[in-house]
Amino acid sequence: MYTLLHGFYKYIIQKDEYCVLILGLDNAGKTTYLEATKTKFTKKYKAMNPNRITTTVGLNIGKIDVNGVRLNFWDLGGQQELQSLWDKYYAECHAVIYIVDSSDRDRVSESKETFDRMISSEHLAGVPLLVLANKQDIPDCMGVHTVKPIFNQNAHLIGARDIMLMATSALTGDGVDEGIRWLVDCIKRNSVDRPPRNHDDNL
Amino acid sequence: MSKIKKFSGSFRYTQWDPCLIIFQIVAMQSVMYLSLSLLVAIMQDLTGSTRTLDHLFEYHELHIVDNEGRAVILAFVFNAVIGAFALWMIVGRTKLCLDFSCTYHGLHLIACWYYNGSFPTTFSWWTLNIACGAIMCVAGEFLCLRTELQAIPLSNIGAKVDL
Ligand SMILES: Nc1nc2c(ncn2[C@@H]2O[C@H](COP(=O)(O)OP(=O)(O)O)[C@@H](O)[C@H]2O)c(=O)[nH]1
Ligand SMILES: [Mg+2]
């Protein structure tokens, strides 16, 4: 009887869980973006001082509740050597956030190559994609109009999926909110193909 | 995505399954009352008393002053042991024995309450039922634990094992 009622209670409060990958070159601001997201969507979350964010080795994990669903973020390290680990996560994720450092003109082409390699993976077919032109607070950065044509070149790889390019600043938190809400809508729409992963009740 | 489903634990099905739990409760209740009726019937024949449903639900019938009352108490204690085996066969999970044992006795309490039209307040009824609940739960846990602790044979499963 207790198991029955407890299970019923868990069933009522349970939220659909989705996994979101945060990818991009190193130093693009992935970890900073994750911190900004957590600060925005978690009540009583103490924002971490951005200066204390160091290079990610392995991965960072974040969890937020938004619009009745739970998002699990995986912030993977972006260094060349760590990129080979990305595809291990593709099959399990429900959306990808790709972050571009728009203040770093030298590495845009490298970022673009990495991006193409990522979207050509068969495990990511149909998965919603949010591309963020980060660091918009730096005066000398590339705007959306500069970044967009670069990442739009390979339309055949993008295929039939939701994709959006947005300008953000992880440091000031601009554009974080809109991006996440857009992503949640897409994930929900795509949940027929990629159903949520619900937490197991350990009865 | 079959792949995603596969990752969420193929070792044991742990999802909350209300149908299974309800049928387990119904099965437990049926088995327990069936065996209790048989035991009480046997005891009644042995002591030569009349067969009546009172012995199952009427709490004034529980007393140790004569053989008739003692026989009924004995039947209840035996039934608790049978209940442990029922837990083992029907539920089979150590962690759930306490739950199912309490559920059975709780439902029995409600049945008695309904049958007598008043809440049982006699010391003998409560003592007997708490003792029977404890016997059933502990013995059931012991049996389930023995099964759960058995080694899982891996040799004859095949090449691929999903642990
Ligand atoms: N000006 C500015 N700097 C940023 C922004 N986002 C991240 N940074 C800086 O970029 C550096 C790398 O950020 P980090 O989150 O560690 O990048 P990661 O390697 O992708 O995880 C840090 O020094 C951040 O302070 C931004 O929106 N604006
Ligand atoms: Mg990082």
Side-chain angles (χ1 to χ4, degrees), chain B residues 50-65:
Chain B
T50 48
R51 287 191 180 177
T52 161
L53 209 55
D54 280 3
H55 285 136
L56 263 59
F57 297 113
E58 167 69 88
Y59 44 88
H60 296 297
E61 294 285 341
L62 298 173
H63 40 66
I64 47 171
V65 287

Side-chain angles (χ1 to χ4, degrees), chain A residues 23-57:
Chain A
L23 303 176
L25 293 187
D26 53 293
N27 209 41
K30 297 184 295 297
T31 311
T32 316
Y33 179 80
L34 178 59
E35 283 305 311
T37 312
K38 282 199 275 186
T39 317
K40 272 258 159 66
F41 287 96
T42 322
K43 280 177 231 139
K44 289 187 288 186
Y45 183 78
K46 269 210 320 300
M48 208 156 99
N49 185 350
N51 299 330
R52 293 199 26 226
I53 297 175
T54 51
T55 317
T56 306
V57 180

